[in-house]
Amino acid sequence: MSFESKTPEGPLKDQWTNHKNNINLVNPANKRNIDVIVVGTGLAGGSASATLAELGYNVKSFCYQDSPRRAHSIAAQGGINAAKNYQGDGDSTYRLFYDTIKGGDYRSRESNVYRLAEVSANIIDQCVAQGVPFAREYGGLLDNRSFGGVLVSRTFYAKGQTGQQLLLGAYSAMNRQIARGKIEMFNRHEMLDVVLVDGKARGIIARNLVTGEIEKHSAHAVVIASGGYGNVYFLSTNAMGSNATAAWKTHKRGAYFANPCFTQIHPTCIPRSGEYQSKLTLMSESLRNDGRIWVPKKKEDVAAIRAGKLKPTQISEEDRDYYLERRYPAFGNLVPRDVASRAAKERCDAGYGVNATGEAVYLDFSSAIERYGKEQAQINGEPNASKERVLELGKKVVEAKYGNLFEMYEKIVDQNPYETPMMIYPAVHYTMGGIWVDYNLMTSIPGCYAIGEANFSDHGANRLGASALMQGLADGYFVLPYTIGDYLSNDIRTGKISTDLPEFEAAEKEVRERLEFFVNNKGTHSVDYYHKKLGKIMWDKCGMARNAEGLKEAMQEIKELREDFWKNVSVPGSMDELNPELEKAGRVADFLELGELFARDALEREESCGGHFREEYQTEEGEALRDDQKYTYVAAWEYTGNPMESILHKENLEFKEVELKTRSYK
């Protein structure tokens, strides 16, 4: 197993260029003889499959959805970051690098983050060439907006559906290669194990979700691009099918799992409405550009709102607490996600939450509607426009920017956000932890790579908004296609890999036995019964705030829940058919192990940083208190058969370009 970061020598700004100049390549004729498996077809997997096939490799692409374009990347709303400085407001590669390191609370690898910032500009050009309809400003240049944790506008967007448009770009590039026969597409297939031959990743075991057939697939390298593990919490903004199985199976075969406790809580989510709910819906962070977040200053106003006797629009300006603007004057409503989430929790915990459950704050567009309306009236030559006319014009501008998000909100909540403030509350969103990878994006298993949200690499302890799409596409279009060639250059004489090897037989047998266990176990509880219980433990004890006592309880409770699951889970139907309950059973079994490692990782890290907030470690003002003497490292866990006995490896992080200092957004 390899555990070297493989960061190139030399100055940060030259590392990637020098690395590309010096790594081994595979010539085009030899690429035709090399097979690569890519698991997942979101932005990372889709862009990687398309690019590798374009280069000439034979790609086998797997997704559990019925089409690659159904991947969860489609749900990303607000935009994608890139340091193009179209706004002329002082952006640069270095500033994007700096903001990302600082935003991640100094817990990511400088070399990877600098490379991300460097290739970010290429992504936009690539996507424009593919026809992605980014918003444009008056002069024809692509428009930008601002996101949390930065003082510039660098976020490119396509209304509130950027993820969908970017995914369609990657999907069209994939389709070109599917038509040419360079990508063999396996829809409705789920990877259930990775196969190692002589210590190298040489294939996967997958289940055809329609027929139930278990299949063996071989390749010279395997790429995991299967997204994050937010659904360990049951309720999250992730699609209900999103799961950690591909990543976790890779971990169990020897890939280190890094920083599992680094999860992102997104501040602008539609609040939970009851116990029956199965997923949460996100409202894009881009709304914080124009929406102002507040709660009433007086508890009697809160009580009247909850009782339905008072409307938020009836509360005067001086009786509103714009708490982010009050606490963080420099960044205001655009502080990073972890800071905004904790601030909302603090207000709600103090009794100022505005909905029936007491878990909501307001996101208010009235100031923006008025501001834009006055500007439009001026442009239209109507300096004396009536208040009604100003609001009408302002609503049109807001609709052009965020219309589909407002529609979505109204469909779910049955309130018109143009007329009354939205209600939002933090929810589990993205996971910064994931499979450990080196500079080449290779895991600790030779020949096995992890890209996009499935790896841990670029966001440290907190991801800045609009950086997920950037990292997924950077990995898939511009990083992996170079670095994988360095490894595959040793395989030009290997020839096809047989799926009749004993390693494939053994892995297939293990997968089959586990599935047989589920359908034959005559238990009493459904899979969801366990998933919900796990989610509650995770949210209560490993959620927005954690402490040693709660984490120890969580580890014990999850262990007991897991033992009960293996005795009492009930899975109807058979394994030789379409069986969604069987799919869920395998995924929840993996979440039960991951949840325990998550709690253990959070207990080990006796500091607060980014999304990991330990109540014992905070400043007098309630901000995160890091311990750089002891914890400036990546926690990479090696599986030994039981999450409680996993071995901790530390990759020490060195900061040569950026000074380690306490984050301040004041």
Side-chain angles (χ1 to χ4, degrees), residues 1 3 229 247-248 250-262 433-436 444 456 555 594 596-605 631 633-640 642-651:
M1 292 297 162
F3 187 57
Y229 50 89
W248 194 251
T250 308
H251 171 54
K252 290 177 84 163
R253 288 285 177 201
Y256 295 171
F257 205 92
N259 300 338
C261 78
F262 287 167
I435 306 172
W436 180 89
S444 42
F456 87 102
M555 281 153 62
L594 169 58
E596 201 175 326
L597 184 65
F598 184 129
R600 185 169 165 210
D601 186 48
L603 184 64
E604 282 297 314
R605 191 170 280 278
Y631 294 101
Y633 63 73
V634 175
W637 295 91
E638 180 185 353
Y639 185 79
T640 57
N642 176 342
M644 292 317 298
E645 286 149 22
S646 293
I647 298 165
L648 173 59
H649 299 269
K650 297 175 182 179
E651 180 201 332

Side-chain angles (χ1 to χ4, degrees), residues 79 115 224 238 287 363 413 419 423-424 452 554 571:
R115 173 175 66 189
I224 306 296
N238 290 200
L287 297 173
L363 178 61
V413 182
E419 308 293 338
M423 284 190 288
I424 54 163
V571 178

